[in-house]
Each structure stands twice: as C-alpha cells, then as structure tokens.
Amino acid sequence: MAYTPMTARSRDEDHRASTPLELFFDLCFVVAIAQAGARLVHALAEGHPGTGVIGYFFVFFGVWWAWMNFTWFASAYDVDDVPYRIATLVQIAGVLVYAAGVGQAFDENDWTVAVIGYVIMRVALTAQWLRAAAGEHGEARTAALKYAAGLVICQAGWVALLFAPDDAKRWLFLVVAAAELLVPVIAERGHQTPWHAHHIVERYGLFTIIVLGETIAASTVAVKSAIDEHEALGQLLPIAAGGLLIVFAAWWIYFAVPMHEHLTSNREAIPWGYGHLLIFASGAAIGAGIEVAVEHTVGKAHISQLAANAAVTVPAAVFLFMVWLLHSRHFKRGLAQQLTLPLSALALLACTWTGSYAVLYAGLAATATVAIGLTLATRSSTAGV
C-alpha cells in the first residue's frame, strides 16, 4: 500500500514470517561482517590477537546493534507501506556506509565514516519511532517516544566520540555502547512493545545462517588453496573438512530447539537478544579463524601452530557454550543433556593442542556432540521423560 497508519501488530498473529524486505536488509549486512572478518584475519595472522579481538568486537557491536534496532522495531510495527520501505532502504544505505568505514575504525581507530553511517540509519529509525508514536496512545506512545529520544541522545554521544582523544575513544565507546543497551530497558518499562516471538526467533535464526555462511566461505577458500598449493594439500583438506563439520554441527545445534516457546516477555527476550552478540560474533569468527589456519599452513601467517588452532577452536567453543546458555538449557532434561554442550565446548578447546589436525579434530568433536545430543534426546523421549 502507498500509505497506511502505523499501528502495532498483534503478538498472536498467525503465520508471521520474515518479509522480502527484511531478507534484503539482512543480506546487506554480509558486507559489513565480511569487512570485520577480513580485518580479524589480518590481525591474527600478523600475531596481534589482543588488538584484533578488541577491534573485531567493537566493529561487530556496531553491525549487531544496527541489525537489532531494525529487527525489533519491524517485529512490532512493520506496516510495509511506501514510507516504511523508503525508511528501511535509507537504513540499508547507512549500513553500507558503516561497512565502508569498518577498515578505518579497526585499523586506525577512526570512526568518522562508521558514525556517519549510523547517523543515516538513526535518522530513518528515529522517524519510524516518531511515526509509531503518532499512531499510538497512552503507555505505548510514551514507549515509542522514549525510543526516539534514546536514539537521538545516543547518536549525539557517538558524534561527540569523534572529537575525543584517541587514547580515550575505546573506553568512551564502552560508555556509549552501555547507554545504547539501556535504551530498550528504559523505554519498555511500563509497556512492552508487541514484538512477535516466532518472528523474532526466525529473524535471529536467519542472521545466524548469515554469520555461519562466513565459515562456509572460509572452507571454500581452504579447498581452493589446497588446489593451488599442491605441496600443502595434505594439511589444507583436513582444515576444509573440519571447518565444514564445525559449521554443520553449529547449524544443527542452534536450530534444535523451538526457542519461540521460551520468549514470553522482555524478562526472557532482552537477555536472549543481547546474548546473541557473542553467538553472532563467534559464529562469524570461526570463518575468520579457518582462513588464519589456511594462511598458517601455506606459510603466510607469522604465528605458531597453537595460535592458528586457537583462531578456530576458541570461537567455536564460545559459540557452543553461548547456544547452550541462551537456547538449549531451557529445553534439556537431566544432567547428561545439560552437560553435553558445555563439555563439548571444553573438548573443542582441548583440540587446540592437537597439532596440525586440530581443525579436523574439532569438527569431529562437534559432530560427536550432535550425535550424543540426538541419542540422549531420543532416549528421553522414548522413556517419556
């Protein structure tokens, strides 16, 4: 429709699914994630893990938070008319500008282009919240206005950050990021925006697939390198196989539980939604780690075998542990089921010390985790527990 009043959607709406516009919005984040991953690969391969991980976390926070802002608003107020579509396309333009600034932010601590991208996104999103407020009344209107005000205040903080001394930017970044995280908590006091649980879970699942796709791409790089580097074929193919096994297992484990049944209020949804920062970041970092392992094998990374292995096993372990913490533990029955993923995370970490076949061993451990989980779930179901 050309125009329709923006009113809240029903939390009980049947067959709510992601729209083509939401899928297009997600696709544009691939560029930003790839930029962040490429910078992480370079930092790890050059032997700067501390700087690399910190820089990666900061730029990935920007990616994740931009996606979060859009996703939760759309779940509650997507009317899919012309003004809504235009505002979303403006946000997409902001995402692409942010992606263009990832390199400068990561390498030089220069956030100018990234902040400009956020300004573009925030102008459109603030207009959306004001439009939502115009169609609401009472506490719902107040919540929408709080969101709009919070966006403006936090964005002013990001702009001010550009003028801070370079050695203070990292710490001030954390302050403004904390303020960003508080906006939904404050805005939703007294009124919960009508996000749709099944829709939100589907949206998070789709973004998980995007970040895991980075690992698929990295495994493809490993295969190509194996073809090009015949002398390293024996070392590269196990990395490719292990990477694929890790990402297949990660996908299987993430989508194993009906998470929408757990999200009944903000009390469950906010920690779950915020915790996904580590799931998304670690999922994408697995792919970066595989590229580091490949570069080490062909002699392009100036790091030890242990460091190259850790680039894969650490993010893979973080991914499994966070999926258990946010997802699986709410549906597991008995001690054996509850311990499967935490122990698997430890097993993946232990693979770090297994030499040149660490990625393959980690992939086999992840695959064993899926098999054990299925076996325990089948026995529990058969026993009627």
Side-chain angles (χ1 to χ4, degrees):
M1 297 179 63
Y3 176 81
T4 185
M6 182 173 279
T7 55
R9 299 185 66 152
S10 172
R11 289 177 59 87
D12 301 318
E13 186 177 344
D14 292 332
H15 309 297
R16 180 74 188 275
S18 297
T19 66
L21 182 58
E22 288 176 313
L23 299 177
F24 184 45
F25 186 84
D26 288 358
L27 182 63
C28 293
F29 277 88
V30 172
V31 179
I33 293 172
Q35 288 288 324
R39 288 305 190 279
L40 178 61
V41 169
H42 179 73
L44 295 178
E46 292 299 319
H48 306 297
T51 302
V53 171
I54 292 172
Y56 174 76
F57 179 81
F58 280 15
V59 297
F60 201 95
F61 176 89
V63 173
W64 165 76
W65 192 242
W67 181 85
M68 283 270 292
N69 283 185
F70 168 79
T71 296
W72 288 84
F73 176 86
S75 189
Y77 289 105
D78 181 1
V79 292
D80 198 30
D81 61 0
V82 171
Y84 179 87
R85 290 187 175 191
I86 291 174
T88 302
L89 293 175
V90 171
Q91 290 181 72
I92 289 174
V95 171
L96 297 178
V97 172
Y98 178 86
V102 163
Q104 289 180 325
F106 196 110
D107 298 333
E108 305 170 20
N109 201 24
D110 182 357
W111 291 83
T112 304
V113 176
V115 169
I116 291 172
Y118 250 74
V119 169
I120 296 171
M121 285 186 275
R122 288 298 174 69
V123 167
L125 186 59
T126 300
Q128 294 278 58
W129 276 113
L130 291 175
R131 186 182 173 197
E136 294 282 17
H137 60 276
E139 292 181 342
R141 174 182 172 83
T142 300
L145 291 174
K146 285 181 180 178
Y147 268 110
L151 289 172
V152 172
I153 292 170
C154 289
Q155 191 56 49
W158 291 121
V159 173
L161 185 65
L162 297 178
F163 302 95
D166 286 344
D167 57 352
K169 282 184 179 179
R170 298 284 191 189
W171 298 107
L172 293 175
F173 182 102
L174 296 176
V175 173
V176 182
E180 291 274 8
L181 297 176
L182 285 174
V183 170
V185 176
I186 295 172
E188 304 256 344
R189 286 180 179 173
H191 175 77
Q192 177 177 296
T193 53
W195 47 267
H196 192 285
H198 194 282
H199 176 251
I200 284 292
V201 170
E202 180 186 2
R203 299 289 294 117
Y204 273 71
L206 291 171
F207 203 76
T208 300
I209 290 175
I210 286 176
V211 298
L212 291 178
E214 291 296 309
T215 303
I216 294 292
S219 294
T220 302
V221 170
V223 173
K224 183 179 183 302
S225 297
I227 295 173
D228 296 340
E229 302 280 348
H230 299 292
E231 62 276 7
L233 184 64
Q235 291 81 24
L236 288 170
L237 288 181
I239 293 174
L244 287 175
L245 289 175
I246 290 172
V247 73
F248 290 164
W251 169 85
W252 195 306
I253 292 166
Y254 183 89
F255 290 98
V257 296
M259 197 60 207
H260 63 277
E261 297 178 2
H262 176 68
L263 302 184
T264 58
S265 69
N266 283 346
R267 183 175 182 179
E268 296 85 20
I270 289 179
W272 179 84
Y274 284 5
H276 267 72
L277 170 59
L278 292 179
I279 288 181
F280 292 155
S282 62
I286 295 170
I290 291 174
E291 291 194 45
V292 171
V294 170
E295 291 196 7
H296 174 268
T297 300
V298 297
K300 296 179 181 179
H302 309 294
I303 55 176
S304 67
Q305 181 71 63
L306 187 68
N309 295 345
V312 179
T313 58
V314 171
V318 171
F319 183 91
L320 291 187
F321 180 78
M322 291 305 300
V323 169
W324 169 78
L325 185 64
L326 298 176
H327 263 49
S328 304
R329 69 184 179 89
H330 302 293
F331 297 88
K332 299 299 183 182
R333 303 183 180 96
L335 184 61
Q337 287 193 27
Q338 285 291 0
L339 289 178
T340 298
L341 285 180
L343 291 178
S344 176
L346 291 176
L348 262 64
L349 287 177
C351 290
T352 306
W353 287 270
T354 57
S356 59
Y357 285 87
V359 177
L360 178 59
Y361 292 149
L364 293 173
T367 304
T369 302
V370 173
I372 292 170
L374 285 173
T375 301
L376 292 174
T378 301
R379 288 179 179 178
S380 177
S381 176
T382 303
V385 177

